[in-house]
Amino acid sequence: MRKLFCLVFLFISGLAQAQQPEKLNSSEIYSEIEKLNFLGSVLYVAAHPDDENTRLISYFSNELNARTAYLSLTRGDGGQNLIGPQLRELLGVIRTQELLAARKIDGGEQFFSRANDFGYSKTPEETLNIWNEEEVLKDVVRTIRLFKPDVIINRFDANSAGETHGHHTSSAILSSRAFDLAGKPSAYPQLADELGTWQPKKLFFNTSPWFYESQEAFDAADKSRFISFDTGVYFPLKGLSNTEIASLSRSQHQSQGFGSTGTRGTASEYIELLKGKHPENNPDIFHGINTSWSRVKGGKEIGKILNLVQENFDFKDPAASVPQLVKAYQLIQNLEDPHWKELKSEQIKDVIAAAMGLYLEAVAGSPLATPGEKVNLELEAINRSDINTELLSVKLFPEEKTIPVNLSLANNRASVQEIDFVIPENINFTSPYWLNEEGSLGMYRVTQNELIGLPETPRELKVQFTVDVAGVKIPFERNITYKFNDPVTGESYRPFEVVPKVSVTTGTNVMVFANGVPGSITVTVKAMANGISGELNPEEMPGWKISPEKHIFDTLQKGEEITFSFEVQPPSVQDKVVFKPVATVNGNTYSRSVVQLDYPHIPLQTLVLPNKTSLVKLDIQKRGNLVGYIQGAGDVVPQALEQMGYKVELIDPKYISENNLTKFDAVVVGIRAYNTIDELRYRQQALFEYVKQGGNLILQYNTSRGLVTETLAPYKLELSRDRVTNEAAEVTFLAPNHPVLNFPNKITSKDFEGWVQERGLYFPDKWGKEFTPILAMNDKDEAPTKGSLLVAPYGKGNFIYTGLSFFREFPAGVPGAFRLFANMLSLPQHEPSVSGLQQDNQK
């Protein structure tokens, strides 16, 4: 199984709860009635997951009852991952689900554009050049026309170029432009025909002292266009303050380490009016906007009914409100405005079902199925009220097959029926839609326009229960799910997935061949349906020899897998190719891998991804054999070292001592280890002693904030926020004769070709004279940075600090990254200098 992607984690109660259907209590039902009776909306806009202000989103949703959404232009694919090794697209899937988990807590909705988070950008010019500026702008306009916000709030300042992440500034620039364009039929006319136009009333910037040089500067700023309000309100029905809810929401961003402690008491927020009209010092952002039902033609009578429902709501008997809610539902069906009709119909149906305890569920007999497969489906319907209720029929989608039922649902009498249905042959896989096609560095490619902006792939397989409630037919749609009993957590849910009949997975993402030595690569064929027979063939790779030509597999049953081995002989010259094995079954070819991401704070994610492995023939030499690795925030460097021919042992920081390090030829510390592993503050002297006795110690990048110790090195070493984001930036050799550039591999400028995403990040900017800076590099129009790779002798060994992004280059199979790292591991011992001994004695 592929170590990088297919990690499996234990289910815990948080996961089971996260995927269960909503079962609202009386206070939650009442809150939904309040929202049903409010017709105003707010769109918050920023660049990444975790950029959003959850205090404001929760405040607008739970205090003002406004429909509130967050538009994140990217899915955060370019960030780091503190909970596992997944980066790039897989990290984007995790962070997407973290945003959805956050919105489930704070009450907001979630949208995206097709922009790909390609990594840190220093200017909006660079960002918009790498993104397709016009297409991302179109996506923002699409979201505005679809969501129809009355108010838009930008997280960032459009005039902050060079002061923050280029993605941040770009999000504000595009939001401001989209504000002006969304209401014009001439702007994206095809989109206007599809969704209509919409002109928001106001545009704000969510300012704060953070955007000023100091609190004093903020206090002195002109606030004539500012609105301030207290987001620290307390909600008795929830038993939580708004800021506590916001912290719970914020804490869902676990992959970025944004756990947040809840606060209580007043909490001021500020927004600055950029466009539109708003009276000075008025804290009501909806001032001048009709947010009642009277804004909709035919809505006044609906508003009267819902006001009475709200005033007379019985917390001990929510079902008493159902007759009036059903009456309002009927009136909503007569609205001429399609936006409000569709939106409020779904809202009121959820309220009706919750108020009468109407539980409807469609559960598949297995978690996975393939096109053409017959699946058993258990349908449960129960009414827990005295409301006259009858289940008239169920309709299966996408085939729209209707099955008459005509069953009276008496109070608290469960109805459970089983049916079989066949998955359509032409159905789409339930994989993230934005990963179906190969995109570019800056953009995902989405061929189905109706999917653009959605947080995840809509489920085609669903069941519509048509229920007669108090004489009115109401359709309720439910996605098909999978439910099972976990011995520890009990009732647990997973999404029901549609996958290909065969999964093809190579055992590694990158395979390194050093100096012409052949190697063996494994491929696992897994049957996702019964009776799978066929053959496995590798695609031709010019210059590479692979044997055998094919493997045969016969009558594999669902869930059964078989692993084959291919012998690979690399060419004599340095080269890099992509290995693509293809399974052929009944004339159909399968080359994709079914990958699952399982973390306790988000639903299990099942992805159908291209299975591609980089084969890298390296002209590489190495010294030493055994490497100790102290894992940090999560990376695949240990696997890369094994690919290079090293034996790697993982070191538990609790057991670091002078004695148990001596066996290692080198010790490597993982990325952000000094940000995430508190134990390291007590182990520095043991690590320094290891170097002193002749070892090579390599520290990979850490962020400059949140270090567990300031003593990273035996000499002066201070981290900064310096980084080089251009992965093709020119690299200058400051110490061309240093062993790290010459032994055992001669490093040249060619070794810095083909790097991905960035050169590196959080370079030191101050260091002791004992360090030798090896490389200089810079982004456009910036002074060269010299802290990307620093080497210092200490005793007989070498202390090395590097901010170069090896953790990104190794999974991408960048040859030069392997060669340079081999040199770092292979640095020779030396006799300590007199100055070095004096320095050590002074310590």
Side-chain angles (χ1 to χ4, degrees), residues 34 48 105 108 137 585 601 630 714 730 790 810 829:
E34 290 183 303
H48 310 107
I105 290 170
L137 175 60
V585 177
H601 65 303
I630 302 169
E730 183 179 356
L790 302 172
F810 287 156
Q829 292 185 1

Side-chain angles (χ1 to χ4, degrees), residues 35 42 54 57-62 66-70 99-111 147 245 249:
K35 293 178 181 180
V42 180
T54 55
I57 292 175
S58 177
Y59 178 83
F60 294 139
S61 178
N62 297 304
R67 186 185 180 210
T68 309
Y70 173 43
L99 273 177
L100 291 174
R103 297 295 79 78
K104 188 172 183 179
I105 290 170
D106 60 36
E109 300 176 39
Q110 188 62 52
F111 294 96
F147 184 71
I245 294 172
S249 173

Side-chain angles (χ1 to χ4, degrees), residues 347-365:
Q347 280 187 277
I348 198 167
K349 285 195 296 184
D350 290 342
V351 172
I352 290 170
M356 61 188 293
L358 180 63
Y359 186 81
L360 304 167
E361 187 175 72
V363 177

